[in-house]
Amino acid sequence: MSIDLQQAIRNSIQTEKSAMDFYLAGAAYLKDQGARRMFELLAAEEREHAGHYYRIYQDTDIPSLEAFLDAPPDAGSSWLATMRRVIDDSFTEKEALELAMLKEKKLAEFLAGTAAQIADPAVREVFELNARETHNHYLLIEAEYARIMGMVDESDMDAFVRE
């Protein structure tokens, strides 16, 4: 299967922005300081990921990465649509972390699958790097989830989160 590299890169820049916006929106509602700081950290890392893609992007429709990332969130973003469905007065850290784990897991799988289809080694390397970093986000969120849920052992995670 052949993919349009520039379109895949463009989509990845947009996805990283959407993830950044997701974490910023979630952080605004989290009461737990640790969870809020983690979401803010993840937002900053998603911004960095967008930069990884931007450096290999050859089209000219995004003249300034900073301006693109600082623009208002994409109203059609699946990341934000997911967050909007659960944000209300009863919004909890547990829900936010569960959503974040789900989104990061799916994204890591997608990026790894996309990387496997890319022949250009430099572009493939960027996708592989971001797949690994996205998986690391999942692990970080999972650890925060364990803390929030009061799990004392990693084996507890199997009963609550892992499939």
Side-chain angles (χ1 to χ4, degrees):
M1 179 172 150
S2 176
I3 62 173
D4 178 338
L5 278 185
Q6 291 307 302
Q7 186 59 46
I9 296 167
R10 171 71 164 83
N11 291 347
S12 294
I13 294 168
Q14 181 61 58
T15 297
E16 298 298 341
K17 180 190 178 351
S18 293
M20 179 190 76
D21 292 336
F22 169 90
Y23 287 118
L24 291 173
Y29 287 90
L30 296 175
K31 293 173 183 69
D32 182 87
Q33 289 280 10
R36 184 179 319 120
R37 277 193 310 270
M38 186 195 62
F39 266 44
E40 290 166 350
L41 169 74
L42 291 171
E45 289 189 6
E46 300 299 359
R47 190 176 193 97
E48 285 180 34
H49 293 175
H52 296 168
Y53 290 112
Y54 185 75
R55 285 189 285 284
I56 60 170
Y57 190 56
Q58 296 174 357
D59 286 347
T60 59
D61 63 317
I62 305 176
S64 165
L65 180 63
E66 294 306 314
F68 181 80
L69 294 175
D70 292 337
D74 174 13
S77 162
S78 69
W79 284 78
L80 286 177
T82 301
M83 183 64 76
R84 279 192 297 268
R85 282 195 299 271
V86 300
I87 291 179
D88 59 22
D89 292 337
S90 64
F91 183 71
T92 66
E93 280 75 10
K94 178 183 179 285
E95 289 175 305
L97 295 167
E98 287 171 348
L99 284 175
M101 283 188 289
L102 177 66
K103 296 302 277 182
E104 293 287 350
K105 182 177 182 178
K106 286 183 177 181
L107 181 57
E109 291 169 356
F110 175 78
L111 292 172
T114 300
Q117 298 176 48
I118 297 173
D120 182 310
V123 175
R124 183 175 57 248
E125 183 179 327
V126 170
F127 276 83
E128 289 171 343
L129 169 68
N130 281 289
R132 287 189 305 274
E133 290 182 357
T134 298
H135 176 70
N136 289 339
H137 285 182
Y138 176 87
L139 296 175
L140 180 67
I141 298 162
E142 185 180 64
E144 184 64 13
Y145 183 85
R147 183 188 70 80
I148 293 286
M149 297 300 294
M151 296 175 185
V152 295
D153 186 77
E154 187 170 319
S155 64
D156 292 341
M157 196 64 73
D158 292 329
F160 292 94
V161 178
R162 295 187 180 135
E163 297 178 344

